Amino acid sequence: PADIRDAAENGRCQEGITDRFNEGLQYYATFKSMVEKTFQEANLPTDIQYLPFVESGYNPKALSRMGAAGLWQWMPKAARLFGLKFKGPLDERFDPEKSTLAATKYFRMAFDEYGNLASELDPSIGEKAKKDPRILPAIVGPFAITSYNYGLAGVRRAMNKIGPNYVNVIYQYEGRRFRTAVQNFYAEFLAARHVAKKLGTPTDFTP
């Protein structure tokens, strides 16, 4: 009984998620084909198309209190780094196509970097990937998604310390900013993917 009471006190809930997600599905119906095609052309897992549900509710006009904007919630510095322009009233973070193209540049960098790192940390991964090209995206995908919240360098440090096993990183890594929001980020992505798949979109990588 004491354990149950402790669990109840530690439980968390957030209201309004259903309404926000339903609204996001309406936006998604508009942008799905464009986003999916853009990731296909970049030779990236199209499952990444579900991430804007977590970031912006798929609202291309979304603007956070921290200044992140658009479908992919680009911060100004990162947006410029990946090719989005600001000039006067022009802010390409709010352009669905251009911001999605910038996202493919980010994830191409993340998948390449973490793929190389995973193979360096565990040479058997590279050997297996030569025989089955699906293996590396399956291993790297969770790290790449998490890096969109935690940063490329942060995930790199975690992999170097714990290794290329995502579950081990979640349970064992300790970092100053590696807290609940980061630890739950990939799980939120999976939940969003699970619901949005009801529309019939296939998946590319499995956790």
Side-chain angles (χ1 to χ4, degrees):
D3 291 340
I4 294 174
R5 285 194 294 271
D6 288 342
E9 292 174 359
N10 290 326
R12 301 184 180 195
C13 65
Q14 186 174 347
E15 296 181 346
I17 296 298
T18 299
D19 292 340
R20 181 172 182 261
F21 202 91
N22 282 332
E23 183 179 354
L25 287 173
Q26 302 303 312
Y27 287 117
Y28 178 60
T30 300
F31 300 115
K32 174 183 179 296
S33 296
M34 179 273 292
V35 174
E36 188 173 34
K37 180 181 178 182
T38 303
F39 277 93
Q40 284 176 337
E41 291 176 346
N43 195 29
L44 286 164
T46 56
D47 272 11
I48 304 172
Q49 69 185 287
Y50 302 114
L51 186 56
F53 281 109
V54 179
E55 288 291 320
S56 65
Y58 248 100
N59 182 354
K61 297 181 180 180
L63 182 64
S64 77
R65 290 176 295 177
M66 300 299 293
L71 280 182
W72 296 91
Q73 288 293 277
W74 285 104
M75 293 294 285
K77 182 177 179 180
R80 291 189 178 93
L81 181 63
F82 287 94
L84 296 176
K85 298 178 181 178
F86 300 79
K87 187 175 182 180
L90 174 66
D91 187 340
E92 291 185 343
R93 294 180 299 169
F94 293 107
D95 184 312
E97 293 187 15
K98 291 181 179 179
S99 65
T100 298
L101 182 60
T104 66
K105 295 177 182 178
Y106 176 90
F107 282 106
R108 181 74 276 155
M109 179 184 293
F111 269 81
D112 289 346
E113 177 174 342
Y114 298 146
N116 291 333
L117 180 58
S119 297
E120 290 175 8
L121 295 172
D122 184 351
S124 68
I125 292 176
E127 293 302 316
K128 293 176 182 177
K130 292 178 182 178
K131 300 177 182 178
D132 187 348
R134 297 173 298 178
I135 288 177
L136 206 54
I139 293 173
V140 171
F143 290 109
I145 293 293
T146 300
S147 76
Y148 203 73
N149 179 272
Y150 191 51
L152 288 166
V155 169
R156 186 190 315 119
R157 288 193 296 270
M159 291 180 69
N160 277 317
K161 186 171 184 178
I162 304 298
N165 183 304
Y166 186 75
V167 174
N168 289 346
V169 168
I170 289 296
Y171 284 102
Q172 299 175 20
Y173 182 66
E174 296 181 1
R176 186 172 59 86
R177 291 179 50 248
F178 198 74
R179 296 291 184 263
T180 302
V182 177
Q183 293 166 345
N184 288 345
F185 190 73
Y186 185 63
E188 291 181 30
F189 163 75
L190 292 179
R193 186 187 74 172
H194 176 75
V195 176
K197 275 177 61 181
K198 299 300 182 181
L199 297 179
T201 303
T203 61
D204 288 325
F205 58 80
T206 304

